[in-house]
């Protein structure tokens, strides 16, 4: 069956360091993959989208990579700040699945001073 | 610009009581609409989605139902709530037509006692 795996353990990182979050998927061939940020008690907010023919995508301090051979996406936050503390969700998308996204369970990032 | 509204923000209901959660979108037409549930510490579970008025697809069999009486209105209902219906309910929309970034509402926190 199709599965999305994100590290369920929280990632604790010191301010200024680079945070790297992992999203692995199995039995999928996503046309693209999205990353969202979710703060406690709020709805997820879209951050980045990367397509299957793109290796890397950047937006300010954020960088996403997409390795279709490894079936993995990495999400990097450089120069992390306490305000980056949140849960980050990955969501691969399959074409032909009637506009449905499937979300991973998310990884909680905690950036400390 | 587009906005999405959900109400109520918080709801406490007894087991066996009915439920009606409403979601409306402004500033766009013919959106795809989605209902998700997020249990405490869990990922987003897609419950229903709709690509047009009166068109509802159910993802998970349960005692919930959804309706779309108007283009930008999506309603989640139940005739008799169960304890397991407690959770954070999120409505989301997309432009459809291959543009699949999802825009989430603020959510409704439901506690069934």
């Amino acid at each position: 069956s199709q599965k999305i795996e994100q590290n369920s353990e929280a990632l604790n990182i010191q301010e200024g360091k680079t945070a790297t979050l992992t999203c692995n998927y199995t039995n999928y061939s996503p046309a693209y993959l999205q990353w969202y940020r979710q703060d406690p008690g709020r709805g997820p907010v879209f951050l980045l989208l990367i397509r299957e023919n793109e290796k890397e995508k950047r937006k300010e301090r954020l960088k996403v990579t997409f390795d279709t051979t490894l079936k993995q996406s990495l999400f990097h936050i450089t120069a992390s700040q306490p305000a980056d503390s949140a849960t980050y969700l990955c969501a691969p998308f399959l074409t032909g699945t009637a506009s449905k996204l499937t979300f991973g369970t998310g990884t909680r990032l905690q950036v400390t001073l | 610009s587009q906005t999405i509204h959900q109400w109520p923000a918080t709801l406490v209901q007894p087991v066996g009581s009915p439920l009606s959660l409403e979601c409306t979108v402004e500033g766009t037409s013919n959106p795809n609409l989605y209902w998700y549930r997020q249990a405490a510490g869990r990922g987003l579970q897609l419950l229903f989605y709709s690509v047009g008025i009166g068109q509802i697809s159910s993802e998970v069999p349960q005692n919930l139902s959804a309706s779309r009486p108007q283009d930008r209105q999506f309603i989640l209902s139940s005739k008799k709530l169960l304890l397991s219906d407690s959770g954070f309910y999120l409505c989301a929309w997309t432009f459809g037509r291959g543009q699949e970034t999802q825009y989430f509402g603020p959510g409704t926190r439901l506690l069934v006692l």
Side-chain angles (χ1 to χ4, degrees):
Chain A
S1 63
Q2 298 167 339
K3 191 188 292 187
I4 305 167
E5 292 181 341
Q6 293 187 258
N7 194 340
S8 59
E9 293 182 10
L11 177 64
N12 294 296
I13 195 164
Q14 196 174 23
E15 183 181 22
K17 302 291 186 183
T18 296
T20 299
L21 287 70
T22 304
C23 175
N24 295 300
Y25 56 92
T26 56
N27 298 322
Y28 259 102
S29 293
Y32 58 80
L33 186 148
Q34 302 183 30
W35 282 89
Y36 289 76
R37 168 184 172 140
Q38 185 174 22
D39 291 286
R42 309 284 293 272
V45 175
F46 170 75
L47 295 175
L48 279 169
L49 179 153
I50 186 164
R51 302 186 186 282
E52 60 181 340
N53 60 350
E54 298 175 313
K55 294 294 184 186
E56 182 179 295
K57 201 76 165 285
R58 291 176 184 263
K59 178 183 176 183
E60 299 173 350
R61 294 184 296 110
L62 308 181
K63 184 179 83 171
V64 172
T65 63
F66 194 10
D67 190 324
T68 56
T69 302
L70 291 178
K71 294 188 180 295
Q72 180 181 80
S73 176
L74 298 179
F75 178 81
H76 306 271
I77 305 176
T78 57
S80 55
Q81 305 167 0
D84 295 326
S85 299
T87 296
Y88 292 86
L89 310 171
C90 76
F93 177 78
L94 285 175
T95 53
T97 53
S99 304
K100 292 185 294 181
L101 275 181
T102 303
F103 287 85
T105 54
T107 298
R108 189 166 62 86
L109 173 66
Q110 184 69 43
V111 182
T112 55
L113 295 171
Chain B
S1 64
Q2 300 84 21
T3 54
I4 179 169
H5 304 279
Q6 282 186 249
W7 62 91
T10 305
L11 192 59
V12 181
Q13 292 285 95
V15 169
S17 63
L19 173 74
S20 180
L21 302 181
E22 189 163 343
C23 170
T24 58
V25 180
E26 296 177 356
T28 188
S29 58
N30 301 317
N32 288 350
L33 296 171
Y34 306 81
W35 277 113
Y36 291 88
R37 177 170 61 204
Q38 189 172 36
R42 305 284 296 275
L44 286 169
Q45 180 187 33
L46 179 62
L47 301 175
F48 301 95
Y49 68 94
S50 171
V51 299
I53 295 174
Q55 300 178 60
I56 309 294
S57 295
S58 173
E59 287 295 297
V60 182
Q62 55 205 317
N63 70 323
L64 298 172
S65 62
S67 61
R68 184 169 176 174
Q70 300 180 48
D71 180 46
R72 289 168 289 178
Q73 184 184 32
F74 205 21
I75 297 172
L76 183 69
S77 305
S78 173
K79 292 182 179 178
K80 287 186 178 182
L81 284 168
L82 307 172
L83 286 174
S84 57
D85 291 323
S86 294
F88 189 44
Y89 287 82
L90 287 157
C91 180
W93 71 274
T94 68
F95 283 105
R97 303 179 296 280
Q99 301 179 50
E100 301 306 335
T101 298
Q102 300 219 346
Y103 300 94
F104 286 83
T108 294
R109 188 158 303 281
L110 172 66
L111 179 60
V112 182
L113 300 175

